[in-house]
Amino acid sequence: MKSTFLAGLAVSLPLFAYAQAPSAPSEDSRTFTISDFEQFAPRNALDMVERIPGFSIRQADEDQRGFGQADENVLINGQRISSKSTSARDALARIPAQNVEKIELVDGATLDVPGLSGQVANITAKANGVSGTWTYRQRYRENLEPALDWFDISANGQTGTLGWTIGIESEPNRGTASGRENVLDGMGNLTEFRQETGRFLADQVGLNGSLNWTPNNGHIANLNAEYNLWEPEQKENSFVFAPDGTPIRETLFTSYEQEWNSEISGDYEFGLGVGRLKLIGLQRNEHSPTRSQFFGADLDGQNVINQVFEREVDESESILRGEYSWAGANGSDWQVSLEGALNTLDSEAQIFRSMSLESIAPVGPRDRVSVEEKRAEAFITHGRSLTPDVRLQVSLGAEQSEIMSDGPNGQTQTFTRPKGSASLAWDVSEQLTLNASVEREVGQLNFFDFVSNVDLNAGNNQTGNLNIVPDQRWIFSLEAERDFGSWGAITAEVFYNDIEDLIDQVPIGTGQGPGNLETASRYGLDFEGTLRLDNFGFKGAQVEYEGFFQDTFLDDPLTGVERDFNESTIHWYMLQFRHDIPGTDWAWGINYETFQDAPTFRRDARIQFEQTNGFAWGFIEHKNIFGMTGTIFLANLLDADERLERLVFTPDRTGQLSRVEDRNRNFGNILTLRLKGSF
């Protein structure tokens, strides 16, 4: 939710060269062409979709449970994105703006795509010869070497009935923050303080490609592949002082990972009988060796602590899915689908420890855990018009899952879960649409919840839990979309979730880890909109705004007191002002966002993170530098700090406050230069 300017974008593949599939229906839609975005000089389809008033791209969860029902609100040539690693933003950024014929904003319930509700953007695009998009960035931060190798380039083309896409991306991540941490006893007396500096460096490189075949017989085939390297490195140095300022100790924490991941996916669609059959397959693999080390000693060389934690994890996901769709009477549509999936995780971990600078020795045997889930689901979906202005879509199904774990106390669990949804779209008028939906959803498991983890730096160790099952929830939502014409547009949604088996932190033995809670709930409001300022006489200016507010409820498994979900967002909002100066190629703007998160509740601690002052950034842009768009961003205009307060209790949160750690770090200004174009 908190997608700040600082957040990096995931590296993934272009989904497909543009398939000539039947596009979404244009009835009751708002249609846009490149001329509607002329003032922004878009270079790719993403630049266009991001400027649709009152619409924002709903990002899919990469860890979603299989393919299942659609959740991203973007279609390309009427088709879902048949990949889990490629986001809608990734796919759109690789389509040159000149290849976009039109963008239709339609009601999800009017489509024959199960699970879609609310506003959906369908992009109709065609490849013309060889074309592509590219972006190059440089980023400069205080106390860090600049990031100069930040780029992405994607080329696509069409030869007869065969389309292709190939791309490469490099995204270095750089971060640093420094400041003071005060440590107090339970009475508020200062016992020590620390001067700390943290650095985060990561290199991410990805290769991607795809093929698309659209012969004249109506068949459609897509093949996608990608390979990524992800190598993050973290370092935190801390100098410890007595209350009077006497230096007494130094600690150093380092960690790094050398991950590779790959995905190959494809789909094949063809006419069969009265309908069309679509077959989808996906294989994902990830290899993640990590190593962290904590070293500390008094300045006189006494009280040495030397600890190392090593872990190597291999993950895989295999999915096969079939969908058969056909048109019914009176404009109705039907679909039946079957999906099978196999998810695995294999983990080996070892702790090493020494009380000296000498070579470290292993502590106990290696911790080995394997987890495997076999899952199958079946659905039937039906959509029809109840009146000329009201459309209904109903989807009913169930899944069966078997989870097998091999390790200490390994076991096998089997369960069946009902799933489904119903959505109703009502075109109240040409300017107002209401969408109501109810859904029974089964959450995805994070297999790392089965595996114990050691946090050498903060001490937030976690005990793996082999008894975890996916959560289940009823989701109720009502969304309103209002088009104000030349004034802009707004979309707002209210929602309520009734949840069973929510996964949250629970006591496990003398420690803690993830576990299922019997009941929980949440409700909230999500909205986004655009206000154009031309009618106020401020030509070429507009304000985009987004907000999210929610309240969450569960009974704390330790204290029994009602509280928020761990680290859940309480509120978040963002304002973006942009002015495209009429009669020129210049634009400028300023943006602001802020958030509040619920605390993290551990067995013996309550941890609260916040970003003081919110986060602000501004930009200046020229939209025609020899046919390219150049932008200068300056971020952290309000000199925001990151504050972390950790309250530690003895023996746990039912006891007395024994220690307070109050940390404040500043991460300085951030300068980014960006140049992008298409060919």
Side-chain angles (χ1 to χ4, degrees), residues 416-666:
T416 301
R417 298 283 191 265
K419 302 168 71 173
S421 64
S423 59
L424 197 68
W426 177 24
D427 294 319
V428 181
S429 67
E430 291 185 0
Q431 294 78 34
L432 177 63
T433 298
L434 298 178
N435 296 281
S437 67
V438 57
E439 181 179 3
R440 179 67 171 181
E441 181 183 80
V442 178
Q444 173 66 310
L445 286 171
N446 181 351
F447 279 7
F448 280 94
D449 288 341
F450 292 80
V451 180
S452 297
N453 183 58
V454 176
D455 185 340
L456 298 180
N457 190 33
N460 295 331
N461 297 342
Q462 177 167 287
T463 302
N465 188 348
L466 300 179
N467 297 309
I468 290 284
V469 298
D471 69 63
Q472 307 172 78
R473 60 185 68 194
W474 285 103
I475 303 174
F476 303 89
S477 68
L478 177 63
E479 180 184 81
E481 307 159 11
R482 182 67 163 87
D483 183 3
F484 294 98
S486 64
W487 290 92
I490 184 173
T491 299
E493 178 190 22
V494 293
F495 60 85
Y496 172 76
N497 293 181
D498 184 61
I499 309 169
E500 303 171 38
D501 297 324
L502 177 75
I503 299 176
D504 204 278
Q505 292 293 304
V506 302
I508 300 178
T510 58
Q512 71 159 55
N516 292 110
L517 303 182
E518 185 175 350
T519 60
S521 61
R522 64 190 284 258
Y523 68 85
L525 168 68
D526 192 0
F527 65 89
E528 61 264 347
T530 301
L531 174 62
R532 293 178 174 142
L533 303 181
D534 295 88
N535 293 327
F536 294 102
F538 199 169
K539 301 297 182 181
Q542 67 178 35
V543 175
E544 296 182 9
Y545 50 91
E546 295 184 55
F548 177 83
F549 303 86
Q550 75 168 347
D551 207 353
T552 59
F553 305 90
L554 62 80
D555 292 332
D556 190 292
L558 180 68
T559 66
V561 176
E562 187 176 82
R563 64 163 173 86
D564 288 312
F565 298 178
N566 263 325
E567 298 180 82
S568 60
T569 299
I570 296 174
H571 66 73
W572 169 85
Y573 63 85
M574 178 169 63
L575 294 172
Q576 296 182 307
F577 169 80
R578 179 184 174 100
H579 182 209
D580 293 89
I581 303 173
T584 76
D585 290 317
W586 289 96
W588 67 280
I590 191 166
N591 310 286
Y592 175 80
E593 70 175 350
T594 187
F595 68 89
Q596 180 184 352
D597 282 353
T600 299
F601 296 91
R602 294 186 55 81
R603 182 169 191 150
D604 65 344
R606 179 184 186 274
I607 306 167
Q608 179 72 63
F609 174 82
E610 63 179 356
Q611 192 177 84
T612 60
N613 302 332
F615 190 78
W617 67 99
F619 72 90
I620 299 175
E621 182 172 275
H622 194 283
K623 294 172 283 188
N624 189 11
I625 303 176
F626 302 104
M628 303 172 290
T629 299
T631 312
I632 300 174
F633 300 90
L634 183 61
N636 197 19
L637 298 178
L638 301 178
D639 196 29
D641 292 336
E642 295 177 338
R643 184 170 181 266
L644 183 72
E645 182 184 62
R646 179 186 177 99
L647 306 180
V648 181
F649 301 86
T650 302
D652 53 35
R653 281 188 289 112
T654 63
Q656 298 295 313
L657 179 66
S658 58
R659 188 171 78 254
V660 177
E661 300 171 3
D662 189 359
R663 187 182 80 192
N664 200 75
R665 292 183 180 177
N666 183 271

Side-chain angles (χ1 to χ4, degrees), residues 326-334:
W326 71 95
N330 301 317
S332 64
D333 55 71
W334 293 84

Side-chain angles (χ1 to χ4, degrees), residues 325-484:
S325 306
W326 71 95
N330 301 317
S332 64
D333 55 71
W334 293 84
Q335 184 186 93
V336 293
S337 64
L338 294 172
E339 180 173 302
L342 173 65
N343 293 74
T344 68
L345 179 144
D346 294 292
S347 171
E348 288 193 14
Q350 180 70 66
I351 299 176
F352 302 85
R353 186 172 296 137
S354 174
M355 303 303 291
S356 70
L357 297 176
E358 305 303 321
S359 59
I360 54 178
V363 179
R366 294 183 68 85
D367 182 26
R368 293 182 172 88
V369 176
S370 295
V371 185
E372 178 182 278
E373 181 185 23
K374 298 176 181 178
R375 180 180 56 82
E377 71 169 32
F379 268 91
I380 183 169
T381 301
H382 176 58
R384 67 182 308 111
S385 295
L386 302 182
T387 73
D389 299 320
V390 179
R391 180 80 178 179
L392 173 69
Q393 184 188 88
V394 178
S395 184
L396 299 175
E399 73 163 53
Q400 185 172 22
S401 176
E402 180 183 73
I403 302 175
M404 296 176 288
S405 54
D406 180 17
N409 304 314
Q411 58 182 313
T412 298
Q413 302 180 78
T414 302
F415 51 85
T416 301
R417 298 283 191 265
K419 302 168 71 173
S421 64
S423 59
L424 197 68
W426 177 24
D427 294 319
V428 181
S429 67
E430 291 185 0
Q431 294 78 34
L432 177 63
T433 298
L434 298 178
N435 296 281
S437 67
V438 57
E439 181 179 3
R440 179 67 171 181
E441 181 183 80
V442 178
Q444 173 66 310
L445 286 171
N446 181 351
F447 279 7
F448 280 94
D449 288 341
F450 292 80
V451 180
S452 297
N453 183 58
V454 176
D455 185 340
L456 298 180
N457 190 33
N460 295 331
N461 297 342
Q462 177 167 287
T463 302
N465 188 348
L466 300 179
N467 297 309
I468 290 284
V469 298
D471 69 63
Q472 307 172 78
R473 60 185 68 194
W474 285 103
I475 303 174
F476 303 89
S477 68
L478 177 63
E479 180 184 81
E481 307 159 11
R482 182 67 163 87
D483 183 3
F484 294 98

Side-chain angles (χ1 to χ4, degrees), residues 153-383:
I153 182 170
S154 178
N156 55 70
Q158 187 80 29
T159 303
T161 60
L162 183 66
W164 56 270
T165 304
I166 188 169
I168 182 172
E169 300 176 336
S170 172
E171 183 181 350
N173 286 262
R174 304 285 186 266
T176 184
S178 59
R180 172 168 166 155
E181 179 174 316
N182 293 321
V183 181
L184 306 95
D185 62 20
M187 302 300 294
N189 302 308
L190 183 68
T191 60
E192 66 182 37
F193 68 90
R194 308 163 183 168
Q195 292 292 341
E196 298 180 321
T197 300
R199 289 165 57 96
F200 178 81
L201 307 176
D203 292 308
Q204 182 169 280
V205 179
L207 298 172
N208 51 74
S210 66
L211 293 173
N212 163 249
W213 182 51
T214 54
N216 295 328
N217 59 5
H219 291 210
I220 301 171
N222 294 288
L223 179 64
N224 316 298
E226 70 165 303
Y227 181 81
N228 299 311
L229 296 176
W230 167 245
E231 297 182 348
E233 181 179 346
Q234 182 181 355
K235 179 179 179 181
E236 183 176 295
N237 191 232
S238 178
F239 293 92
V240 184
F241 300 84
D244 62 1
T246 303
I248 56 177
R249 187 173 178 81
E250 182 179 1
T251 64
L252 176 65
F253 171 77
T254 59
S255 70
Y256 67 85
E257 180 178 357
Q258 294 179 310
E259 173 191 312
W260 64 260
N261 61 77
S262 64
E263 177 180 299
I264 183 168
S265 63
D267 59 77
Y268 185 68
E269 181 179 343
F270 57 95
L272 180 66
V274 298
R276 292 182 67 82
L277 177 64
K278 185 173 185 178
L279 304 174
I280 306 171
L282 176 142
Q283 179 64 45
R284 290 202 304 169
N285 294 88
E286 182 176 313
H287 177 68
S288 306
T290 60
R291 187 179 193 271
S292 59
Q293 181 173 19
F294 181 87
F295 177 82
D298 294 345
L299 297 185
D300 61 5
Q302 301 299 308
N303 299 317
V304 174
I305 296 179
N306 190 6
Q307 300 182 88
V308 171
F309 177 64
E310 294 181 348
R311 184 169 66 183
E312 186 170 298
V313 176
D314 288 286
E315 299 176 82
S316 72
E317 180 175 27
S318 307
I319 302 175
L320 287 176
R321 180 178 176 84
E323 300 173 347
Y324 185 68
S325 306
W326 71 95
N330 301 317
S332 64
D333 55 71
W334 293 84
Q335 184 186 93
V336 293
S337 64
L338 294 172
E339 180 173 302
L342 173 65
N343 293 74
T344 68
L345 179 144
D346 294 292
S347 171
E348 288 193 14
Q350 180 70 66
I351 299 176
F352 302 85
R353 186 172 296 137
S354 174
M355 303 303 291
S356 70
L357 297 176
E358 305 303 321
S359 59
I360 54 178
V363 179
R366 294 183 68 85
D367 182 26
R368 293 182 172 88
V369 176
S370 295
V371 185
E372 178 182 278
E373 181 185 23
K374 298 176 181 178
R375 180 180 56 82
E377 71 169 32
F379 268 91
I380 183 169
T381 301
H382 176 58

